[in-house]
Amino acid sequence: EIVLTQSPGTLSLSPGERATLSCRASQSVSSSYLAWYQQKPGQAPRLLIYGASSRATGIPDRFSGSGSGTDFTLTISRLEPEDFAVYYCQQYGSSLTFGPGTKVDIK
Amino acid sequence: EVQLVESGGGLVQPGGSLRLSCAASGFTFSSYEMNWVRQAPGKGLEWVSYISSSGRTIYYADSVKGRFTISRDNAKNSLYLQMNSLRAEDTAVYYCARDKGAAGYWGQGALVTVSS
């Protein structure tokens, strides 16, 4: 089973700042089958990025994904008030697993 | 519009059983792989089970293997999760989600509480 580790656990930033979230896999994720989700309290997760770097439909271009192999990054170029949430990475190349999440909160 | 609506959640005693349903609409259900994903209170997301579009390929997380059964009825546009021998640690919101990975569509979730 591929284990995903996310860092940091919590990221405290101000609106307008850049956020960089990391997701590391215990083994290589095949074909970059890596996704990122955003979740707000009381809501279902929302798909942001698939295939490591492709934005899902309707996702603003301030969200970008990069990486391959075992190291992946989600970048939010300029935080908007609605971006403060928990972010999960997920690999779907070998079964499915989620990372533990990174909470982005307001500094 | 794609919709996924879970039902069947509730309070059940340890060792009991519960069957969740997920009613799909707005897309050709029989063409899509489906998953169940759960989230314990205040915790992260945990994948539970996967079923292929035909129902012939099924996977389970180790934590539920042998106790949970995923199934689907393509004629009724419905996905199911039969949960037996429930434990306190199965307490969670259970989501159905479309596609094997990179799920763009999720239901609103069904709360399952296992407690005496």
Side-chain angles (χ1 to χ4, degrees):
Chain A
E1 175 187 311
I2 297 179
V3 177
L4 299 178
T5 304
Q6 291 186 243
S7 61
T10 301
L11 196 53
S12 296
L13 295 168
S14 300
E17 288 193 293
R18 181 184 188 90
T20 303
L21 287 66
S22 174
C23 176
R24 180 161 290 177
S26 60
Q27 54 189 282
S28 184
V29 176
S30 61
S31 303
S32 294
Y33 285 151
L34 193 287
W36 291 92
Y37 297 84
Q38 176 194 69
Q39 189 180 34
K40 297 178 181 178
Q43 296 184 14
R46 174 193 182 197
L47 178 66
L48 300 175
I49 301 287
Y50 64 94
S53 60
S54 297
R55 267 188 303 276
T57 303
I59 301 303
D61 60 7
R62 65 180 181 272
F63 291 92
S64 63
S66 63
S68 63
T70 60
D71 289 295
F72 299 88
T73 301
L74 174 70
T75 302
I76 310 170
S77 59
R78 294 172 312 279
L79 282 164
E80 296 289 340
E82 61 268 27
D83 298 337
F84 292 92
V86 180
Y87 293 83
Y88 296 95
C89 60
Q90 176 209 38
Q91 70 79 24
Y92 51 102
S94 171
S95 188
L96 294 95
T97 49
F98 288 93
T102 290
K103 183 178 183 180
V104 179
D105 65 13
I106 300 176
K107 188 175 181 180
Chain B
E1 178 194 4
V2 172
Q3 282 200 314
L4 298 169
V5 180
E6 299 96 339
S7 60
L11 174 65
V12 61
Q13 292 188 338
S17 298
L18 212 56
R19 189 198 197 202
L20 299 181
S21 299
C22 171
S25 61
F27 65 100
T28 305
F29 180 71
S30 60
S31 297
Y32 287 87
E33 302 160 289
M34 299 293 295
N35 284 280
W36 287 100
V37 176
R38 68 184 180 183
Q39 187 168 36
K43 303 297 184 183
L45 301 170
E46 180 188 14
W47 168 74
V48 172
S49 184
Y50 157 89
I51 188 167
S52 64
S53 56
S54 66
R56 283 194 285 267
T57 301
I58 285 173
Y59 302 122
Y60 297 100
D62 288 344
S63 58
V64 307
K65 201 173 293 183
R67 300 187 299 122
F68 289 13
T69 302
I70 191 172
S71 62
R72 64 191 296 160
D73 186 334
N74 286 342
K76 294 184 177 179
N77 293 336
S78 293
L79 175 72
Y80 306 102
L81 187 67
Q82 177 67 43
M83 302 183 293
N84 298 332
S85 303
L86 282 161
R87 307 166 179 167
E89 54 265 37
D90 295 318
T91 293
V93 173
Y94 285 73
Y95 296 100
C96 61
R98 199 188 81 172
D99 298 310
K100 180 185 179 183
Y105 296 97
W106 297 63
Q108 85 288 351
L111 177 62
V112 173
T113 303
V114 184
S115 174
S116 55

